[in-house]
Amino acid sequence: MRVVFMGTPDFSVPVLDALVDAGHVVVAVYCQPPRPAGRGKKDRPSPVQQRAEALGLTVRYPVSLKTPEAQQEFAALNADIAVVVAYGLILPQVVLDAPRHGCLNIHASLLPRWRGAAPIHRAIMAGDAQTGVCIMQMEAGLDTGPVLLREAFDIGVEETTGELHDRLSALGADLIVQALDQLDQLSPQVQPEDGVTYAAKIDKAEARVDWTQPAEVVDRLIRGLSPFPGAWCDVAGERVKLLGSRTVPGNAEPGTVLDGFTIACGAGAVEITRAQRQGKKAMSAEDVLRGWDLGTRMS
């Protein structure tokens, strides 16, 4: 098939590779423009742009798809279908309608749960037992379109957003190839009205750990915000990112250091398994604690 691919971050790269490996003709790749990054703040191409250029594909990164010029360029590709995954721009109806089979979105949740920007983070933070991927026919609403394929799996008890991200990206790549192979046989399923939730973009104000919360809530926050933006707490005046954790028995004043890197919560305790001090790399808790005294309390 003649495919337009639309994606930007690391999550999207395995999908692009899968489409190329499956023999589809990727007529153009759309992604976000290069952004300033690193210490020098030089413009850095997105992961998708870098991969597309390495594959010798045509890359476009319009600031908007609302202009007549951008829409005409898109329509002129004469695509059979567009595959969209974490692209970052709203597609106007004229763009949605341009490919012969419309636009398919790869969404990292079990729709209608967790429509929106941060479904992986929110699933872990909410304590969901399962998540998965949906292949959805796009329409004007936010992740409201009918679902063509879906697959679910269990979330690990110590799994972080970073780890779940990689599993969902690989699953999305597999499912979109299946969907394109079976497109004529698939029956779109309208999303139910019940069970709709929205995965709001992560606000950095959410990232500070509140030790008065139950251990389960603190653990889910730490794992859900790992590796980015990273839950954090104050240790003797130093902001420390907490990047891995598990719940353990414990009973003391919230914020009390019980043993090693185990901290008392409002109910129960959390053992930190991975952390990052200011100006240092992320490390296992054992390495972080080597030569460093946490003191008796965290805030």
Side-chain angles (χ1 to χ4, degrees), residues 123-140:
I124 291 180
M125 291 167 70
D128 291 2
Q130 283 195 323
T131 188
V133 168
C134 287
I135 306 297
M136 177 192 68
Q137 187 81 48
M138 294 181 72
E139 57 183 33

Side-chain angles (χ1 to χ4, degrees), residues 24-105:
H24 295 288
V25 179
V26 179
V27 294
V29 171
Y30 280 70
C31 58
Q32 288 288 292
R35 305 284 194 220
R39 292 183 178 178
K41 295 299 180 183
K42 294 182 178 179
D43 282 352
R44 179 181 298 172
S46 70
V48 163
Q49 181 179 344
Q50 294 178 52
R51 183 58 182 151
E53 290 176 347
L55 291 168
L57 301 173
T58 299
V59 179
R60 295 176 179 174
Y61 38 83
V63 175
S64 170
L65 290 171
K66 295 180 180 180
T67 66
E69 293 79 13
Q71 294 171 5
Q72 289 165 12
E73 284 187 346
F74 188 88
L77 293 167
N78 294 317
D80 295 313
I81 202 160
V83 172
V84 185
V85 52
Y87 174 39
L89 283 184
I90 294 173
L91 305 190
Q93 191 65 50
V94 66
V95 172
L96 294 174
D97 293 340
R100 188 159 60 93
H101 294 290
C103 301
L104 298 186
N105 178 250

